[in-house]
Amino acid sequence: MVDVDSFIDEATAEIREQVGDEHAIIALSGGVDSSVAAALAYEAIGDQLTPVYVDTGLMRKGETEGIRETFAFMESLRVVEAQDRFFDALSGVTDPEEKRKVIGEQFIREFEREAKDTDAEYLVQGTIYPDRIESEGNIKSHHNVGGLPDVVDFEGIVEPVRDLYKDEVREVARALDLEEVVAERMPFPGPGLAVRVIGEVTPEKVEVARDACHVVEEETEEHEPWQAFAAVVGKATGVKGDNRVHGWIVSVRSVESRDGMTARAQELPWETLQRIQSRITGQNENVARVVYDVTHKPPATIEYE
Ligand code: XMP
């Protein structure tokens, strides 16, 4: 691991030198990588930085409120309410890679507007070392790498955490006094809940996935999974009261992993699984069934799409 304090000193000095008196912009996702990149850049250049958070409607429960609180110290923070535009763009799209593409393009449109509006010359990105490796291997199209620089004519790209691994980014987050919730967050995919609903992305399915993910995160916390979440994977018959219903199937996944490249399905206690089932079916009358995914990676991936 790098020495955290000297890393912060060097990274902020480098940002100051690169950006000078110009203006910079960063897309905040709520994840630890962009949060640390933003905090480093803010420490370096203050309000010359505009952090932009785009609410895609595909974020975790409470994410937007959390962002407003965590980054309240940055007066230049902008929150863009783009939920309707994302759902419109995703209407009728079912292919996983097409979803990623549509989300990436919509994100670029939202961000481009903000960049033009602030006259930003520099783009700050939270790209970390494994992002660069996976992207070069073209394993999955990660929407937080590439794309933006080609569209908006920035003078330069600033990537303060480009050589760090995830655990090193977390260490820097702690040193920067970013709240523990940011430092200890589970990984969350760039396309958000869109890859946790199979088939078309609708507000109803996303809402089911969001509430179910929240339950799974809470109930598995004591078992310290590397990543735990729920996905809406289809429809099935169930009985609610005296009625047969055709409701959603929610699949729960909790995995242990070191870096996400391989993973093991976690052996959760039966009581935990039953509590998760009972909360998810109880909170949403349109969920008919909850299943637990016991597949390791490989052969499965961690996310469903
Ligand atoms: P998979 O599903 O490929 O996921 O086993 C490995 C890790 O990467 C995350 N993931 C993504 N992160 N954009 C991201 O920024 C994406 O498109 C994406 N797809 C998967 C996933 O949550 C897991 O931590």
Side-chain angles (χ1 to χ4, degrees):
M1 171 63 196
V2 293
D3 177 80
V4 174
D5 290 332
S6 44
F7 170 80
I8 293 172
D9 287 345
E10 282 161 27
T12 48
E14 198 184 313
I15 295 165
R16 238 175 259 127
E17 187 179 335
Q18 201 180 345
V19 177
D21 295 330
E22 306 283 4
H23 205 96
I25 190 165
I26 181 169
L28 268 182
S29 70
V32 62
D33 307 341
S34 66
S35 298
V36 168
L40 285 170
Y42 194 79
E43 174 115 356
I45 59 171
D47 284 346
Q48 282 166 259
L49 175 77
T50 303
V52 174
Y53 169 78
V54 179
D55 187 347
T56 61
L58 305 166
M59 319 304 286
R60 277 182 268 215
K61 198 179 181 77
E63 188 90 67
T64 304
E65 298 79 359
I67 291 274
R68 284 189 202 277
E69 275 173 36
T70 306
F71 297 101
F73 67 94
M74 296 179 177
E75 282 184 19
S76 46
L77 173 68
R78 292 189 182 196
V79 176
V80 182
E81 303 278 352
Q83 300 94 317
D84 291 348
R85 293 191 288 278
F86 274 85
F87 281 116
D88 283 351
L90 284 164
S91 167
V93 179
T94 55
D95 178 75
E97 284 301 308
E98 184 66 17
K99 279 186 196 176
R100 283 188 163 77
K101 193 164 151 261
V102 167
I103 291 167
E105 284 170 359
Q106 186 62 36
F107 193 87
I108 287 167
R109 270 196 286 279
E110 302 289 341
F111 195 71
E112 190 181 21
R113 200 181 46 235
E114 301 301 314
K116 286 196 174 133
D117 195 49
T118 56
D119 286 330
E121 301 283 353
Y122 286 87
L123 174 69
V124 185
Q125 287 192 306
T127 316
I128 65 170
Y129 187 65
D131 291 341
R132 292 198 281 142
I133 299 305
E134 280 214 9
S135 197
E136 278 158 25
N138 201 17
I139 294 165
K140 260 186 192 178
S141 56
H142 278 209
H143 95 266
N144 47 350
V145 180
L148 289 171
D150 301 336
V151 179
V152 185
D153 199 13
F154 289 107
E155 200 168 297
I157 311 293
V158 184
E159 293 181 320
V161 291
R162 64 185 173 272
D163 295 326
L164 301 190
Y165 282 96
K166 200 89 181 178
D167 51 340
E168 296 176 315
V169 183
R170 290 203 164 110
E171 241 181 272
V172 177
R174 277 187 283 271
L176 287 168
D177 284 335
L178 285 176
E179 282 162 41
E180 210 51 16
V181 59
V182 176
E184 300 300 340
R185 296 203 89 150
M186 285 177 193
F188 186 67
L193 297 170
V195 295
R196 293 183 180 173
V197 303
I198 305 291
E200 189 179 6
V201 181
T202 64
E204 188 201 347
K205 282 157 86 175
V206 168
E207 203 54 39
V208 173
R210 180 174 7 253
D211 288 343
C213 281
H214 180 64
V215 168
V216 174
E217 283 195 28
E218 276 191 354
E219 294 292 344
T220 57
E221 196 180 350
E222 65 178 294
H223 302 288
E224 299 180 347
W226 190 77
Q227 200 167 359
F229 60 92
V232 174
V233 297
K235 283 204 134 183
T237 302
V239 203
K240 293 263 174 144
D242 293 333
N243 300 321
R244 284 167 78 86
V245 294
H246 193 51
W248 300 113
I249 306 170
V250 169
S251 180
V252 173
R253 188 142 173 74
S254 186
V255 297
E256 290 162 339
S257 176
R258 201 178 66 81
D259 54 11
M261 305 292 272
T262 60
R264 287 192 69 78
Q266 212 176 16
E267 274 189 49
L268 291 180
W270 180 249
E271 300 75 49
T272 304
L273 292 170
Q274 277 303 328
R275 226 177 10 253
I276 289 173
Q277 176 278 122
S278 152
R279 283 184 63 186
I280 293 175
T281 52
Q283 76 188 359
N284 191 313
E285 60 178 16
N286 294 323
V287 175
R289 206 169 286 244
V290 175
V291 299
Y292 187 58
D293 189 338
V294 297
T295 328
H296 306 311
K297 172 185 181 177
T301 52
I302 295 176
E303 302 288 344
Y304 279 76
E305 290 192 334

